[in-house]
Structure formats: C-alpha cells, structure tokens
Amino acid sequence: MEQEIYSLVGRIIELVQNIEYLLVDGVKMSKILNVYNKYNFVSYNYYKKIEQDIKELTDEMENMTFGKIINLVRTYEVLASDDIEYLESILSKRNQLVHKYFKYNELNKCSEEVKYKYLTKFHSESDVFYKYLLKIIHEMKQDLDKVILEEGL
C-alpha cells in the first residue's frame, strides 16, 4: 500500500502542475481576448504589443507561486469566481500535501487506508477540474484563432 500512496502523491503533483500550465495559457489568451471583446477590434500593432507583453508575463509566471497565478487568473477573468474558489481549494490541498504530508501531522496519524482514500479523492477532484479547465482553454483557443483570422493578425 505504501508504494501506491507514493505513486498517488506523484500523480497528484503532476496533475496540479498541469493545471498550473493550463492557467498560464488561459491568462495569455485572455489578455488578447479581453481587449478584443472590449473594443471588438485589435490592430496589428496593438496585437504585437500584447504578444510581447504576454511573452514577458509568461516568463514571469514560470517563477510564480500557484497562488500568484490564481490572482492573475482572477485579474484577467479566465475563470468564473466559483471556479476560482474551487481552484483555491485545490491549491490549499496541494500545499498541505507538498509542504506537510511527509511531516508529522494529523494525516500521518491515520491508517494507510484513510490516507489512500483521502489522496484518491483529491486526485479525482483535481482530475475533474483539469478536464474541465482543458475544455475552457480549448474554447478560448478557438475564440482566439477566430479573432486572429478575422482581424488578419
């Protein structure tokens, strides 16, 4: 059972990391889409400026904590507030897992079965959110491709 628990911990960390990467993509696309939705137009020069800003922001985001990325997601309105709250609960659980799981704490007093159930549930919640986020990012990509095509960018 111990090997399964360690494997599950690794899969959870990988899954949450993939959620972070999708959020970075969402922020990048949202920055352009928000301008287009506000003005119903994006000039080529402004598009290129936004592209440069996005490149710089992406470089910054690579070194940001998950919490700071969530704040950018909120700022650029990538997700609805309910989704952000759910995302924050994933962050909280992930932080507990990464920073406290291997230290002496209440969870480590539990039996391996209880730990496994907790981790399995967390993995399932993260996986559901990942798949949901993947759909949102795909829709944003389609919207962005449409804007680029319509505007000749």
Side-chain angles (χ1 to χ4, degrees):
M1 174 79 70
E2 187 176 336
Q3 281 300 100
E4 290 91 359
I5 289 174
Y6 281 104
S7 176
L8 195 50
V9 168
R11 291 195 319 265
I12 291 168
I13 291 169
E14 178 184 25
L15 190 54
V16 175
Q17 189 69 44
N18 288 335
I19 289 171
E20 277 188 60
Y21 290 136
L22 286 177
L23 293 172
V24 170
D25 285 345
V27 168
K28 291 187 310 189
M29 289 185 282
S30 187
K31 186 162 179 152
I32 295 171
L33 289 170
N34 287 345
V35 169
Y36 181 78
N37 290 335
K38 184 175 181 180
Y39 299 108
N40 207 24
F41 174 78
V42 178
S43 71
Y44 177 78
N45 289 336
Y46 196 64
Y47 175 77
K48 287 299 179 186
K49 181 186 179 331
I50 292 173
E51 267 191 336
Q52 183 59 38
D53 292 348
I54 289 170
K55 183 182 179 326
E56 292 169 12
L57 181 61
T58 302
D59 292 343
E60 288 175 30
M61 289 175 76
E62 292 297 323
N63 297 314
M64 285 184 183
T65 64
F66 196 178
K68 288 183 180 180
I69 291 172
I70 290 174
N71 286 335
L72 284 174
V73 167
R74 184 178 286 112
T75 298
Y76 289 104
E77 300 175 345
V78 177
L79 297 172
S81 59
D82 289 348
D83 294 336
I84 291 174
E85 286 177 23
Y86 193 80
L87 185 59
E88 286 173 330
S89 76
I90 289 174
L91 170 63
S92 176
K93 290 176 185 176
R94 176 247 183 219
N95 284 344
Q96 190 271 339
L97 180 64
V98 170
H99 300 294
K100 297 180 182 173
Y101 181 78
F102 297 103
K103 295 179 181 177
Y104 182 76
N105 60 44
E106 290 299 315
L107 186 60
N108 283 330
K109 292 180 191 175
C110 299
S111 69
E112 288 194 348
E113 291 81 21
V114 170
K115 290 179 198 177
Y116 189 77
K117 284 180 184 176
Y118 170 80
L119 293 170
T120 301
K121 183 178 180 209
F122 180 32
H123 182 271
S124 177
E125 291 170 354
S126 299
D127 190 49
V128 167
F129 190 81
Y130 172 76
K131 289 174 181 168
Y132 170 73
L133 184 58
L134 201 56
K135 289 178 186 176
I136 291 173
I137 298 303
H138 179 71
E139 289 173 10
M140 290 176 74
K141 174 80 170 106
Q142 287 179 323
D143 291 347
L144 182 59
D145 289 346
K146 184 179 174 187
V147 167
I148 289 170
L149 184 64
E150 285 178 2
E151 298 297 319
L153 304 172

mmCIF file of all heavy atoms in Angstrom, residues 106-146:
data_model
loop_
_atom_site.group_PDB
_atom_site.id
_atom_site.type_symbol
_atom_site.label_atom_id
_atom_site.label_comp_id
_atom_site.label_asym_id
_atom_site.label_seq_id
_atom_site.Cartn_x
_atom_site.Cartn_y
_atom_site.Cartn_z
ATOM 1 N N GLU A 106 -1.687 15.364 11.492
ATOM 2 C CA GLU A 106 -2.882 14.558 11.728
ATOM 3 C C GLU A 106 -3.064 13.462 10.672
ATOM 4 O O GLU A 106 -3.431 12.345 10.991
ATOM 5 C CB GLU A 106 -4.135 15.454 11.774
ATOM 6 C CG GLU A 106 -4.219 16.340 12.992
ATOM 7 C CD GLU A 106 -4.266 15.548 14.294
ATOM 8 O OE1 GLU A 106 -5.009 14.556 14.381
ATOM 9 O OE2 GLU A 106 -3.523 15.923 15.223
ATOM 10 N N LEU A 107 -2.803 13.800 9.414
ATOM 11 C CA LEU A 107 -2.992 12.815 8.352
ATOM 12 C C LEU A 107 -2.038 11.634 8.525
ATOM 13 O O LEU A 107 -2.407 10.495 8.280
ATOM 14 C CB LEU A 107 -2.801 13.458 6.978
ATOM 15 C CG LEU A 107 -3.108 12.570 5.776
ATOM 16 C CD1 LEU A 107 -4.557 12.082 5.794
ATOM 17 C CD2 LEU A 107 -2.838 13.310 4.477
ATOM 18 N N ASN A 108 -0.840 11.913 8.966
ATOM 19 C CA ASN A 108 0.132 10.832 9.128
ATOM 20 C C ASN A 108 -0.166 9.939 10.325
ATOM 21 O O ASN A 108 0.415 8.868 10.456
ATOM 22 C CB ASN A 108 1.553 11.383 9.205
ATOM 23 C CG ASN A 108 2.047 11.776 7.829
ATOM 24 O OD1 ASN A 108 1.643 11.195 6.833
ATOM 25 N ND2 ASN A 108 2.909 12.760 7.777
ATOM 26 N N LYS A 109 -1.060 10.361 11.205
ATOM 27 C CA LYS A 109 -1.504 9.510 12.302
ATOM 28 C C LYS A 109 -2.527 8.485 11.821
ATOM 29 O O LYS A 109 -2.786 7.510 12.490
ATOM 30 C CB LYS A 109 -2.125 10.350 13.423
ATOM 31 C CG LYS A 109 -1.169 11.236 14.163
ATOM 32 C CD LYS A 109 -1.945 11.981 15.235
ATOM 33 C CE LYS A 109 -1.148 13.086 15.853
ATOM 34 N NZ LYS A 109 -1.964 13.863 16.804
ATOM 35 N N CYS A 110 -3.106 8.741 10.647
ATOM 36 C CA CYS A 110 -4.167 7.887 10.114
ATOM 37 C C CYS A 110 -3.595 6.594 9.542
ATOM 38 O O CYS A 110 -2.418 6.506 9.214
ATOM 39 C CB CYS A 110 -4.934 8.618 9.009
ATOM 40 S SG CYS A 110 -5.733 10.113 9.570
ATOM 41 N N SER A 111 -4.473 5.661 9.344
ATOM 42 C CA SER A 111 -4.071 4.399 8.718
ATOM 43 C C SER A 111 -3.776 4.640 7.243
ATOM 44 O O SER A 111 -4.194 5.649 6.659
ATOM 45 C CB SER A 111 -5.195 3.369 8.851
ATOM 46 O OG SER A 111 -6.303 3.754 8.046
ATOM 47 N N GLU A 112 -3.089 3.717 6.631
ATOM 48 C CA GLU A 112 -2.771 3.846 5.212
ATOM 49 C C GLU A 112 -4.040 3.851 4.365
ATOM 50 O O GLU A 112 -4.095 4.512 3.330
ATOM 51 C CB GLU A 112 -1.807 2.745 4.766
ATOM 52 C CG GLU A 112 -0.411 2.969 5.305
ATOM 53 C CD GLU A 112 0.637 2.120 4.623
ATOM 54 O OE1 GLU A 112 0.301 1.184 3.872
ATOM 55 O OE2 GLU A 112 1.829 2.412 4.841
ATOM 56 N N GLU A 113 -5.052 3.120 4.802
ATOM 57 C CA GLU A 113 -6.317 3.102 4.067
ATOM 58 C C GLU A 113 -6.968 4.479 4.041
ATOM 59 O O GLU A 113 -7.478 4.926 3.015
ATOM 60 C CB GLU A 113 -7.294 2.073 4.667
ATOM 61 C CG GLU A 113 -6.885 0.631 4.461
ATOM 62 C CD GLU A 113 -5.845 0.149 5.474
ATOM 63 O OE1 GLU A 113 -5.727 0.761 6.568
ATOM 64 O OE2 GLU A 113 -5.123 -0.803 5.158
ATOM 65 N N VAL A 114 -6.940 5.167 5.185
ATOM 66 C CA VAL A 114 -7.519 6.517 5.268
ATOM 67 C C VAL A 114 -6.719 7.474 4.391
ATOM 68 O O VAL A 114 -7.298 8.281 3.654
ATOM 69 C CB VAL A 114 -7.571 7.001 6.738
ATOM 70 C CG1 VAL A 114 -7.938 8.478 6.814
ATOM 71 C CG2 VAL A 114 -8.549 6.160 7.537
ATOM 72 N N LYS A 115 -5.386 7.392 4.456
ATOM 73 C CA LYS A 115 -4.550 8.234 3.605
ATOM 74 C C LYS A 115 -4.856 7.986 2.139
ATOM 75 O O LYS A 115 -4.991 8.925 1.351
ATOM 76 C CB LYS A 115 -3.063 7.956 3.853
ATOM 77 C CG LYS A 115 -2.532 8.402 5.174
ATOM 78 C CD LYS A 115 -1.058 8.027 5.252
ATOM 79 C CE LYS A 115 -0.555 8.029 6.652
ATOM 80 N NZ LYS A 115 0.839 7.609 6.748
ATOM 81 N N TYR A 116 -4.948 6.718 1.785
ATOM 82 C CA TYR A 116 -5.193 6.354 0.383
ATOM 83 C C TYR A 116 -6.535 6.899 -0.094
ATOM 84 O O TYR A 116 -6.635 7.437 -1.203
ATOM 85 C CB TYR A 116 -5.119 4.834 0.223
ATOM 86 C CG TYR A 116 -5.156 4.392 -1.218
ATOM 87 C CD1 TYR A 116 -4.028 4.505 -2.027
ATOM 88 C CD2 TYR A 116 -6.319 3.879 -1.779
ATOM 89 C CE1 TYR A 116 -4.059 4.117 -3.354
ATOM 90 C CE2 TYR A 116 -6.362 3.494 -3.101
ATOM 91 C CZ TYR A 116 -5.226 3.605 -3.884
ATOM 92 O OH TYR A 116 -5.259 3.238 -5.203
ATOM 93 N N LYS A 117 -7.561 6.786 0.744
ATOM 94 C CA LYS A 117 -8.892 7.313 0.377
ATOM 95 C C LYS A 117 -8.841 8.826 0.194
ATOM 96 O O LYS A 117 -9.402 9.371 -0.756
ATOM 97 C CB LYS A 117 -9.927 6.943 1.434
ATOM 98 C CG LYS A 117 -10.366 5.505 1.373
ATOM 99 C CD LYS A 117 -11.395 5.210 2.442
ATOM 100 C CE LYS A 117 -11.762 3.737 2.433
ATOM 101 N NZ LYS A 117 -12.694 3.393 3.508
ATOM 102 N N TYR A 118 -8.159 9.510 1.110
ATOM 103 C CA TYR A 118 -8.025 10.972 1.014
ATOM 104 C C TYR A 118 -7.310 11.358 -0.280
ATOM 105 O O TYR A 118 -7.767 12.226 -1.024
ATOM 106 C CB TYR A 118 -7.269 11.517 2.232
ATOM 107 C CG TYR A 118 -6.893 12.970 2.088
ATOM 108 C CD1 TYR A 118 -7.827 13.973 2.337
ATOM 109 C CD2 TYR A 118 -5.616 13.349 1.681
ATOM 110 C CE1 TYR A 118 -7.486 15.314 2.194
ATOM 111 C CE2 TYR A 118 -5.270 14.686 1.535
ATOM 112 C CZ TYR A 118 -6.214 15.655 1.789
ATOM 113 O OH TYR A 118 -5.888 16.975 1.634
ATOM 114 N N LEU A 119 -6.198 10.701 -0.541
ATOM 115 C CA LEU A 119 -5.411 11.022 -1.732
ATOM 116 C C LEU A 119 -6.159 10.659 -3.011
ATOM 117 O O LEU A 119 -6.093 11.393 -4.000
ATOM 118 C CB LEU A 119 -4.052 10.324 -1.676
ATOM 119 C CG LEU A 119 -3.107 10.810 -0.572
ATOM 120 C CD1 LEU A 119 -1.905 9.893 -0.460
ATOM 121 C CD2 LEU A 119 -2.685 12.249 -0.816
ATOM 122 N N THR A 120 -6.868 9.553 -3.000
ATOM 123 C CA THR A 120 -7.650 9.152 -4.168
ATOM 124 C C THR A 120 -8.738 10.184 -4.461
ATOM 125 O O THR A 120 -8.960 10.561 -5.615
ATOM 126 C CB THR A 120 -8.268 7.760 -3.949
ATOM 127 O OG1 THR A 120 -7.210 6.822 -3.726
ATOM 128 C CG2 THR A 120 -9.083 7.323 -5.150
ATOM 129 N N LYS A 121 -9.389 10.658 -3.408
ATOM 130 C CA LYS A 121 -10.430 11.682 -3.585
ATOM 131 C C LYS A 121 -9.824 12.978 -4.126
ATOM 132 O O LYS A 121 -10.374 13.597 -5.035
ATOM 133 C CB LYS A 121 -11.142 11.943 -2.255
ATOM 134 C CG LYS A 121 -12.274 12.942 -2.368
ATOM 135 C CD LYS A 121 -12.993 13.134 -1.055
ATOM 136 C CE LYS A 121 -14.106 14.138 -1.256
ATOM 137 N NZ LYS A 121 -14.426 14.883 -0.075
ATOM 138 N N PHE A 122 -8.693 13.381 -3.577
ATOM 139 C CA PHE A 122 -8.025 14.604 -4.044
ATOM 140 C C PHE A 122 -7.597 14.448 -5.500
ATOM 141 O O PHE A 122 -7.780 15.364 -6.309
ATOM 142 C CB PHE A 122 -6.834 14.921 -3.141
ATOM 143 C CG PHE A 122 -6.074 16.165 -3.532
ATOM 144 C CD1 PHE A 122 -6.706 17.251 -4.119
ATOM 145 C CD2 PHE A 122 -4.722 16.257 -3.286
ATOM 146 C CE1 PHE A 122 -6.002 18.403 -4.471
ATOM 147 C CE2 PHE A 122 -4.005 17.392 -3.630
ATOM 148 C CZ PHE A 122 -4.649 18.462 -4.227
ATOM 149 N N HIS A 123 -7.065 13.310 -5.849
ATOM 150 C CA HIS A 123 -6.671 13.055 -7.244
ATOM 151 C C HIS A 123 -7.884 13.151 -8.156
ATOM 152 O O HIS A 123 -7.825 13.773 -9.227
ATOM 153 C CB HIS A 123 -5.998 11.688 -7.380
ATOM 154 C CG HIS A 123 -5.532 11.405 -8.762
ATOM 155 N ND1 HIS A 123 -6.346 10.804 -9.700
ATOM 156 C CD2 HIS A 123 -4.358 11.675 -9.391
ATOM 157 C CE1 HIS A 123 -5.680 10.692 -10.837
ATOM 158 N NE2 HIS A 123 -4.477 11.222 -10.675
ATOM 159 N N SER A 124 -8.985 12.553 -7.750
ATOM 160 C CA SER A 124 -10.208 12.578 -8.561
ATOM 161 C C SER A 124 -10.715 14.010 -8.735
ATOM 162 O O SER A 124 -11.080 14.419 -9.847
ATOM 163 C CB SER A 124 -11.270 11.717 -7.896
ATOM 164 O OG SER A 124 -12.474 11.775 -8.609
ATOM 165 N N GLU A 125 -10.751 14.786 -7.654
ATOM 166 C CA GLU A 125 -11.194 16.184 -7.728
ATOM 167 C C GLU A 125 -10.298 16.985 -8.669
ATOM 168 O O GLU A 125 -10.787 17.776 -9.482
ATOM 169 C CB GLU A 125 -11.169 16.827 -6.343
ATOM 170 C CG GLU A 125 -12.203 16.300 -5.390
ATOM 171 C CD GLU A 125 -11.993 16.778 -3.961
ATOM 172 O OE1 GLU A 125 -10.971 17.441 -3.670
ATOM 173 O OE2 GLU A 125 -12.854 16.479 -3.120
ATOM 174 N N SER A 126 -8.995 16.782 -8.552
ATOM 175 C CA SER A 126 -8.046 17.504 -9.400
ATOM 176 C C SER A 126 -8.196 17.098 -10.858
ATOM 177 O O SER A 126 -8.120 17.942 -11.755
ATOM 178 C CB SER A 126 -6.605 17.240 -8.938
ATOM 179 O OG SER A 126 -6.424 17.679 -7.623
ATOM 180 N N ASP A 127 -8.416 15.825 -11.101
ATOM 181 C CA ASP A 127 -8.576 15.326 -12.459
ATOM 182 C C ASP A 127 -9.828 15.894 -13.116
ATOM 183 O O ASP A 127 -9.798 16.305 -14.277
ATOM 184 C CB ASP A 127 -8.615 13.798 -12.458
ATOM 185 C CG ASP A 127 -8.532 13.210 -13.848
ATOM 186 O OD1 ASP A 127 -7.646 13.618 -14.627
ATOM 187 O OD2 ASP A 127 -9.364 12.324 -14.167
ATOM 188 N N VAL A 128 -10.918 15.938 -12.373
ATOM 189 C CA VAL A 128 -12.166 16.506 -12.898
ATOM 190 C C VAL A 128 -11.954 17.974 -13.248
ATOM 191 O O VAL A 128 -12.363 18.443 -14.318
ATOM 192 C CB VAL A 128 -13.323 16.331 -11.884
ATOM 193 C CG1 VAL A 128 -14.528 17.184 -12.259
ATOM 194 C CG2 VAL A 128 -13.715 14.861 -11.779
ATOM 195 N N PHE A 129 -11.302 18.716 -12.364
ATOM 196 C CA PHE A 129 -11.061 20.135 -12.632
ATOM 197 C C PHE A 129 -10.118 20.307 -13.809
ATOM 198 O O PHE A 129 -10.328 21.200 -14.640
ATOM 199 C CB PHE A 129 -10.498 20.853 -11.404
ATOM 200 C CG PHE A 129 -10.467 22.340 -11.578
ATOM 201 C CD1 PHE A 129 -11.614 23.085 -11.374
ATOM 202 C CD2 PHE A 129 -9.313 22.991 -11.974
ATOM 203 C CE1 PHE A 129 -11.606 24.461 -11.566
ATOM 204 C CE2 PHE A 129 -9.293 24.363 -12.159
ATOM 205 C CZ PHE A 129 -10.446 25.097 -11.959
ATOM 206 N N TYR A 130 -9.093 19.473 -13.914
ATOM 207 C CA TYR A 130 -8.159 19.533 -15.038
ATOM 208 C C TYR A 130 -8.902 19.352 -16.357
ATOM 209 O O TYR A 130 -8.698 20.121 -17.306
ATOM 210 C CB TYR A 130 -7.064 18.475 -14.877
ATOM 211 C CG TYR A 130 -6.179 18.345 -16.095
ATOM 212 C CD1 TYR A 130 -5.200 19.297 -16.359
ATOM 213 C CD2 TYR A 130 -6.339 17.289 -16.981
ATOM 214 C CE1 TYR A 130 -4.389 19.191 -17.484
ATOM 215 C CE2 TYR A 130 -5.537 17.176 -18.105
ATOM 216 C CZ TYR A 130 -4.563 18.131 -18.349
ATOM 217 O OH TYR A 130 -3.781 18.028 -19.468
ATOM 218 N N LYS A 131 -9.757 18.365 -16.430
ATOM 219 C CA LYS A 131 -10.508 18.100 -17.674
ATOM 220 C C LYS A 131 -11.460 19.251 -17.989
ATOM 221 O O LYS A 131 -11.620 19.638 -19.149
ATOM 222 C CB LYS A 131 -11.242 16.772 -17.570
ATOM 223 C CG LYS A 131 -10.287 15.592 -17.608
ATOM 224 C CD LYS A 131 -10.988 14.278 -17.366
ATOM 225 C CE LYS A 131 -9.958 13.143 -17.399
ATOM 226 N NZ LYS A 131 -10.521 11.889 -16.901
ATOM 227 N N TYR A 132 -12.078 19.810 -16.970
ATOM 228 C CA TYR A 132 -12.952 20.965 -17.149
ATOM 229 C C TYR A 132 -12.153 22.160 -17.664
ATOM 230 O O TYR A 132 -12.549 22.834 -18.614
ATOM 231 C CB TYR A 132 -13.616 21.282 -15.802
ATOM 232 C CG TYR A 132 -14.362 22.581 -15.737
ATOM 233 C CD1 TYR A 132 -15.580 22.735 -16.392
ATOM 234 C CD2 TYR A 132 -13.860 23.650 -15.006
ATOM 235 C CE1 TYR A 132 -16.284 23.936 -16.314
ATOM 236 C CE2 TYR A 132 -14.554 24.847 -14.927
ATOM 237 C CZ TYR A 132 -15.755 24.980 -15.588
ATOM 238 O OH TYR A 132 -16.441 26.164 -15.518
ATOM 239 N N LEU A 133 -10.994 22.409 -17.049
ATOM 240 C CA LEU A 133 -10.137 23.524 -17.451
ATOM 241 C C LEU A 133 -9.617 23.324 -18.871
ATOM 242 O O LEU A 133 -9.527 24.281 -19.640
ATOM 243 C CB LEU A 133 -8.983 23.664 -16.464
ATOM 244 C CG LEU A 133 -8.036 24.839 -16.654
ATOM 245 C CD1 LEU A 133 -8.789 26.167 -16.610
ATOM 246 C CD2 LEU A 133 -6.959 24.810 -15.574
ATOM 247 N N LEU A 134 -9.309 22.104 -19.218
ATOM 248 C CA LEU A 134 -8.847 21.785 -20.566
ATOM 249 C C LEU A 134 -9.887 22.204 -21.607
ATOM 250 O O LEU A 134 -9.545 22.781 -22.643
ATOM 251 C CB LEU A 134 -8.555 20.285 -20.657
ATOM 252 C CG LEU A 134 -7.648 19.789 -21.747
ATOM 253 C CD1 LEU A 134 -6.288 20.459 -21.720
ATOM 254 C CD2 LEU A 134 -7.483 18.273 -21.629
ATOM 255 N N LYS A 135 -11.162 21.961 -21.308
ATOM 256 C CA LYS A 135 -12.247 22.365 -22.217
ATOM 257 C C LYS A 135 -12.325 23.888 -22.330
ATOM 258 O O LYS A 135 -12.503 24.432 -23.420
ATOM 259 C CB LYS A 135 -13.587 21.804 -21.740
ATOM 260 C CG LYS A 135 -13.720 20.319 -21.918
ATOM 261 C CD LYS A 135 -15.055 19.822 -21.384
ATOM 262 C CE LYS A 135 -15.118 18.311 -21.440
ATOM 263 N NZ LYS A 135 -16.361 17.798 -20.846
ATOM 264 N N ILE A 136 -12.208 24.573 -21.207
ATOM 265 C CA ILE A 136 -12.256 26.038 -21.218
ATOM 266 C C ILE A 136 -11.111 26.602 -22.047
ATOM 267 O O ILE A 136 -11.311 27.496 -22.879
ATOM 268 C CB ILE A 136 -12.214 26.600 -19.782
ATOM 269 C CG1 ILE A 136 -13.521 26.274 -19.064
ATOM 270 C CG2 ILE A 136 -11.950 28.105 -19.786
ATOM 271 C CD1 ILE A 136 -13.524 26.632 -17.594
ATOM 272 N N ILE A 137 -9.914 26.083 -21.836
ATOM 273 C CA ILE A 137 -8.743 26.574 -22.564
ATOM 274 C C ILE A 137 -8.893 26.272 -24.057
ATOM 275 O O ILE A 137 -8.545 27.107 -24.902
ATOM 276 C CB ILE A 137 -7.444 25.963 -21.995
ATOM 277 C CG1 ILE A 137 -7.255 26.366 -20.523
ATOM 278 C CG2 ILE A 137 -6.236 26.340 -22.830
ATOM 279 C CD1 ILE A 137 -7.217 27.856 -20.258
ATOM 280 N N HIS A 138 -9.448 25.134 -24.388
ATOM 281 C CA HIS A 138 -9.682 24.785 -25.794
ATOM 282 C C HIS A 138 -10.659 25.777 -26.433
ATOM 283 O O HIS A 138 -10.442 26.238 -27.563
ATOM 284 C CB HIS A 138 -10.212 23.353 -25.910
ATOM 285 C CG HIS A 138 -10.506 22.928 -27.300
ATOM 286 N ND1 HIS A 138 -9.512 22.677 -28.231
ATOM 287 C CD2 HIS A 138 -11.682 22.741 -27.946
ATOM 288 C CE1 HIS A 138 -10.074 22.351 -29.381
ATOM 289 N NE2 HIS A 138 -11.386 22.381 -29.231
ATOM 290 N N GLU A 139 -11.718 26.114 -25.717
ATOM 291 C CA GLU A 139 -12.692 27.094 -26.228
ATOM 292 C C GLU A 139 -12.042 28.462 -26.399
ATOM 293 O O GLU A 139 -12.306 29.169 -27.377
ATOM 294 C CB GLU A 139 -13.898 27.183 -25.294
ATOM 295 C CG GLU A 139 -14.782 25.966 -25.341
ATOM 296 C CD GLU A 139 -15.891 25.986 -24.293
ATOM 297 O OE1 GLU A 139 -16.101 27.043 -23.643
ATOM 298 O OE2 GLU A 139 -16.545 24.950 -24.116
ATOM 299 N N MET A 140 -11.206 28.847 -25.451
ATOM 300 C CA MET A 140 -10.501 30.130 -25.568
ATOM 301 C C MET A 140 -9.585 30.127 -26.786
ATOM 302 O O MET A 140 -9.505 31.121 -27.504
ATOM 303 C CB MET A 140 -9.689 30.411 -24.305
ATOM 304 C CG MET A 140 -10.525 30.732 -23.088
ATOM 305 S SD MET A 140 -9.523 30.957 -21.598
ATOM 306 C CE MET A 140 -8.818 32.562 -21.939
ATOM 307 N N LYS A 141 -8.917 29.017 -27.017
ATOM 308 C CA LYS A 141 -8.021 28.891 -28.174
ATOM 309 C C LYS A 141 -8.817 29.033 -29.467
ATOM 310 O O LYS A 141 -8.381 29.712 -30.403
ATOM 311 C CB LYS A 141 -7.295 27.540 -28.118
ATOM 312 C CG LYS A 141 -6.449 27.235 -29.326
ATOM 313 C CD LYS A 141 -5.119 27.949 -29.247
ATOM 314 C CE LYS A 141 -4.177 27.446 -30.330
ATOM 315 N NZ LYS A 141 -3.999 28.378 -31.414
ATOM 316 N N GLN A 142 -9.985 28.409 -29.525
ATOM 317 C CA GLN A 142 -10.840 28.543 -30.711
ATOM 318 C C GLN A 142 -11.261 29.999 -30.903
ATOM 319 O O GLN A 142 -11.251 30.506 -32.026
ATOM 320 C CB GLN A 142 -12.062 27.642 -30.590
ATOM 321 C CG GLN A 142 -11.755 26.177 -30.759
ATOM 322 C CD GLN A 142 -12.988 25.311 -30.600
ATOM 323 O OE1 GLN A 142 -13.862 25.569 -29.775
ATOM 324 N NE2 GLN A 142 -13.048 24.255 -31.400
ATOM 325 N N ASP A 143 -11.644 30.661 -29.818
ATOM 326 C CA ASP A 143 -12.035 32.075 -29.903
ATOM 327 C C ASP A 143 -10.867 32.933 -30.372
ATOM 328 O O ASP A 143 -11.036 33.825 -31.210
ATOM 329 C CB ASP A 143 -12.527 32.584 -28.543
ATOM 330 C CG ASP A 143 -13.853 31.981 -28.130
ATOM 331 O OD1 ASP A 143 -14.532 31.362 -28.981
ATOM 332 O OD2 ASP A 143 -14.208 32.112 -26.933
ATOM 333 N N LEU A 144 -9.690 32.676 -29.840
ATOM 334 C CA LEU A 144 -8.508 33.443 -30.223
ATOM 335 C C LEU A 144 -8.162 33.202 -31.689
ATOM 336 O O LEU A 144 -7.848 34.152 -32.418
ATOM 337 C CB LEU A 144 -7.324 33.092 -29.331
ATOM 338 C CG LEU A 144 -6.034 33.864 -29.595
ATOM 339 C CD1 LEU A 144 -6.257 35.366 -29.430
ATOM 340 C CD2 LEU A 144 -4.936 33.377 -28.664
ATOM 341 N N ASP A 145 -8.221 31.955 -32.127
ATOM 342 C CA ASP A 145 -7.945 31.648 -33.538
ATOM 343 C C ASP A 145 -8.924 32.387 -34.451
ATOM 344 O O ASP A 145 -8.537 32.892 -35.514
ATOM 345 C CB ASP A 145 -8.023 30.139 -33.798
ATOM 346 C CG ASP A 145 -6.861 29.380 -33.191
ATOM 347 O OD1 ASP A 145 -5.855 30.015 -32.805
ATOM 348 O OD2 ASP A 145 -6.962 28.133 -33.095
ATOM 349 N N LYS A 146 -10.171 32.471 -34.029
ATOM 350 C CA LYS A 146 -11.193 33.181 -34.802
ATOM 351 C C LYS A 146 -10.865 34.674 -34.894
ATOM 352 O O LYS A 146 -10.946 35.275 -35.965
ATOM 353 C CB LYS A 146 -12.567 32.969 -34.155
ATOM 354 C CG LYS A 146 -13.707 33.587 -34.916
ATOM 355 C CD LYS A 146 -15.032 33.308 -34.222
ATOM 356 C CE LYS A 146 -16.150 34.063 -34.904
ATOM 357 N NZ LYS A 146 -17.411 33.954 -34.157
#
